[in-house]
Amino acid sequence: MSNSRPPTVLLTNDDGPPGPESPYIYGFRLWVKRIASSIYLSDAEKTGWNIKVVVPSSQKSWIGKSFQIKEVTQGQYYYPRGPDGLGETTSAARPFRDGESEEWILLDSTPATCVNIALYNLFPGEIDLVVSGPNLGRNTSAAFALSSGTIGASLSAALCHVRSIAVSYGTVQRPTPKELFIPAYVLSTQIVQKLWNNWGKDEGGLRDGEVDLYNVNLPMVPKLLSEEGMDICWTRIWRNEYGQLFRAPKGQRTQEHVSEAGPDSDKATQTDQPSSSRSLTFVFAPDFKRLITPEQGSLPEGSDAWALSHNLASVTPLRASFAEPSDASLALQDEYEDKLVAGRMWNKL
């Protein structure tokens, strides 16, 4: 892509405006602005990168690439200031006050919706690159990536033919030491800049045969502070799975009713209570221990989760589509075809 002018970057996330659940976006956006000082930039880009910020008005993690389609999406203006980015929210744009230099937009919607509205309604034709994040927590492995609002926002951009990069900071120590923040900002913005200037090719990509989007993950570990710095590696998504994600609120019983004939009975008796006696109240309460700290031997070398476990930053090229299995999947179990190709019709039902 031409470097004749500085790129205009849309910054979004799924964690919302600055606060305890969104500790990174305010500091990160400063380093994206400072990217002009990078040694990799051409003279034409020395004026810096233009930043637009449109984020959900509240926490929207684990919402994937969903859109808000029935509700009316409302927005507000946000004026961050000070060291932590906490600021005032207003219903109408206003002049900057002391300590303010930026105007953000908060939308009561999902990350993917924020991106689409920003690209077509707020800044039509202006955005060259969408950067989603940095997410509070990793987005490695299929279980996290397919659920991620951070990656969902980047997918939304890719499907609009706009380059996009999802950035996530994997939490290792709670709370994350603040001395790791700036090194993470520096490394992740260097990765963003390097990808922008050297975007990869993919013959199946949506935009003239280039990679649709990238997923970047950094582990928040002391390696970021080392003199040699954190290494970066190309990765693929670790294909894993999750189990139970929802549980009953504490103090409520949701176990299946046991027949009076006992738990080993083949049939329930007529005196069994109806199923309506079972609680139908559930809360999101997953056990992510095996996803966050899997056995080392279970992680394929070269996967994003493997990289994170080895204190490496990972860069995963992605397509804005569901993964496609081999041609062998293009048949039902009871079919025996010599030629399995996409486009082959089903047998009549």
Side-chain angles (χ1 to χ4, degrees):
M1 188 168 288
S2 172
N3 290 329
S4 60
R5 63 174 177 81
T8 297
V9 180
L10 172 66
L11 184 58
T12 190
N13 69 5
D14 71 357
D15 292 327
E21 293 186 325
S22 184
Y24 300 131
I25 189 170
Y26 186 65
F28 177 72
R29 114 274 171 229
L30 177 62
W31 284 94
V32 174
K33 280 189 171 184
R34 290 178 179 176
I35 207 166
S37 65
S38 170
I39 62 173
Y40 299 107
L41 292 178
S42 66
D43 290 338
E45 290 182 307
K46 292 300 184 182
T47 53
W49 286 17
N50 301 313
I51 307 296
K52 309 289 187 182
V53 183
V54 181
V55 298
S57 58
S58 61
Q59 173 63 247
K60 289 293 187 294
S61 292
W62 270 75
I63 206 163
K65 201 192 72 62
S66 63
F67 288 98
Q68 184 167 295
I69 60 173
K70 291 191 175 182
E71 302 87 350
V72 175
T73 297
Q74 302 285 353
Q76 292 183 306
Y77 295 92
Y78 183 77
Y79 298 91
R81 59 177 178 267
D84 52 13
L86 299 180
E88 182 180 64
T89 302
T90 66
S91 59
R94 61 164 176 76
F96 291 140
R97 296 173 181 169
D98 289 344
E100 298 174 347
S101 61
E102 299 177 35
E103 181 182 84
W104 296 11
I105 293 176
L106 311 184
L107 296 179
D108 296 335
S109 195
T110 68
T113 304
C114 288
V115 168
N116 196 272
I117 289 177
L119 293 179
Y120 292 103
N121 301 89
L122 300 176
F123 313 111
E126 296 183 39
I127 304 300
D128 302 300
L129 173 68
V130 173
V131 178
S132 181
N135 187 65
L136 174 58
R138 72 195 68 198
N139 273 312
T140 56
S141 81
F144 289 130
L146 289 172
S147 308
S148 167
T150 301
I151 297 178
S154 287
L155 287 168
S156 180
L159 290 170
C160 297
H161 280 221
V162 176
R163 288 180 174 183
S164 59
I165 303 170
V167 179
S168 300
Y169 295 167
T171 302
V172 177
Q173 179 182 344
R174 297 179 185 276
T176 299
K178 290 196 172 182
E179 60 264 28
L180 300 180
F181 284 24
I182 290 180
Y185 298 152
V186 172
L187 180 58
S188 53
T189 52
Q190 287 176 339
I191 292 173
V192 166
Q193 176 274 317
K194 188 71 171 178
L195 291 173
W196 168 256
N197 284 345
N198 301 274
W199 206 270
K201 298 295 183 182
D202 176 11
E203 62 181 13
L206 294 174
R207 294 181 312 276
D208 300 322
E210 69 173 28
V211 172
D212 288 346
L213 67 149
Y214 291 97
N215 183 32
V216 176
N217 280 272
L218 273 66
M220 298 295 277
V221 295
K223 181 68 174 176
L224 287 165
L225 300 171
S226 65
E227 185 175 347
E228 64 274 14
M230 180 175 287
D231 290 329
I232 308 163
C233 66
W234 292 106
T235 54
R236 295 294 187 188
I237 290 180
W238 174 40
R239 293 189 62 190
N240 63 346
E241 69 287 325
Y242 46 69
Q244 183 177 6
L245 298 177
F246 297 87
R247 301 182 184 278
K250 290 183 178 180
Q252 291 195 23
R253 298 176 59 189
T254 60
Q255 68 182 45
E256 302 230 351
H257 174 68
V258 178
S259 166
E260 290 184 356
D264 297 327
S265 172
D266 291 334
K267 297 180 181 179
T269 67
Q270 294 296 320
T271 57
D272 285 344
Q273 296 182 17
S275 60
S276 60
S277 65
R278 188 182 308 151
S279 171
L280 296 180
T281 301
F282 306 95
V283 295
F284 187 65
D287 181 2
F288 284 152
K289 184 176 181 181
R290 64 189 179 89
L291 298 180
I292 295 177
T293 56
E295 296 181 4
Q296 287 294 319
S298 68
L299 298 175
E301 184 173 349
S303 67
D304 51 5
W306 168 86
L308 204 72
S309 72
H310 284 77
N311 294 336
L312 300 170
S314 71
V315 180
T316 309
L318 297 176
R319 285 184 178 179
S321 65
F322 289 107
E324 298 177 349
S326 67
D327 287 347
S329 68
L330 301 175
L332 302 177
Q333 288 189 15
D334 60 354
E335 291 182 314
Y336 299 91
E337 298 288 338
D338 293 329
K339 191 175 183 181
L340 300 175
V341 295
R344 184 180 69 85
M345 300 298 176
W346 274 39
N347 295 329
K348 294 293 184 181
L349 297 178

